[in-house]
Amino acid sequence: MIGGQFVVNVVSPDRGPLRAVLFDMDGTLLDSERVDILAMSRLFRGDLGLEMDEEDVSSYRNRPSREVLEEIAPDRVEESLAAWLDYHEELVDQARLFPGILDVLHALSQANLALGVVTGQNRRELDATRRHLTIDELIEVWVSVDDAPFSKPHPAPVHVALDALGCPPGQAVFIGDSQVDME
């Protein structure tokens, strides 16, 4: 940061200049942990009758909802997914961008970098989150778990985003908050 402004100039000699920055959503751009835990707790305890403390519930964060439900309620996936998404939509207004994120997104955009989001949220969750966040003017591509044949940590969702941006992988970075994002 120079004089209160971000300066972005990254060049890899063998790959060229940085052209795109991709972000994970939950835990990276968005402080949504409490919303996730509340929605999952309502579903797990209330709808599915599972005895789980907050730590148990929290262990399912950063995983696609369908994947979690196929593991813990394989005979009730569709009905449970619908309830989970209803709870998420009711609670999403409690999630907030982390402090300073909006400034970072503006600075990266002003540096002529393409911005994208690659999330483990499904399309319905992502659409509800996007309506709440109102940062669409800064993000050029949004990739949900439903938009790729495999979810993170598989690289498919990142490649979907890069293809949409017309950016080769060597000219992009991915920023996330979990082991899944790193992989």
Side-chain angles (χ1 to χ4, degrees):
M1 188 157 23
I2 297 175
Q5 294 195 3
F6 290 95
V7 176
V8 178
N9 185 13
V10 178
V11 177
S12 171
D14 57 334
R15 298 183 181 186
L18 181 66
R19 292 181 36 205
V21 180
L22 303 178
F23 294 92
D24 171 53
M25 173 78 78
D26 296 302
T28 302
L29 296 177
L30 187 65
D31 185 0
S32 57
E33 182 174 7
R34 194 79 206 131
V35 169
D36 293 343
I37 290 172
L38 287 172
M40 286 188 286
S41 292
R42 284 173 72 179
L43 176 73
F44 295 171
R45 294 179 191 146
D47 296 50
L48 298 175
L50 301 173
E51 292 297 321
M52 293 186 173
D53 62 23
E54 191 168 307
E55 186 175 320
D56 293 332
V57 172
S58 183
S59 71
Y60 289 101
R61 284 195 74 245
N62 296 320
R63 291 181 54 197
S65 48
R66 181 175 295 281
E67 180 183 296
V68 169
L69 294 172
E70 286 170 350
E71 179 181 316
I72 66 170
D75 57 331
R76 298 177 63 186
V77 171
E78 295 307 319
E79 123 196 24
S80 298
L81 184 58
W84 183 331
L85 296 174
D86 288 343
Y87 298 146
H88 179 267
E89 285 182 20
E90 286 176 30
L91 299 165
V92 73
D93 65 332
Q94 295 178 35
R96 300 281 181 262
L97 288 174
F98 282 109
I101 288 294
L102 196 54
D103 293 335
V104 168
L105 295 176
H106 279 290
L108 293 172
S109 180
Q110 290 171 354
N112 294 318
L113 293 169
L115 304 180
V117 169
V118 178
T119 180
Q121 290 185 2
N122 66 39
R123 178 53 55 187
R124 184 173 160 197
E125 287 172 295
L126 180 56
D127 289 345
T129 302
R130 285 176 67 182
R131 284 190 300 274
H132 167 65
L133 292 180
T134 65
I135 58 171
D136 277 351
E137 73 279 357
L138 297 168
I139 306 297
E140 294 178 45
V141 64
W142 298 85
V143 177
S144 76
V145 72
D146 297 330
D147 298 321
F150 302 100
S151 60
K152 296 184 293 183
H154 194 281
V158 170
H159 287 287
V160 168
L162 292 174
D163 289 347
L165 295 171
C167 180
Q171 295 181 347
V173 294
F174 185 89
I175 299 171
D177 68 314
S178 71
Q179 182 67 34
V180 168
D181 294 325
M182 190 180 333
E183 292 172 16

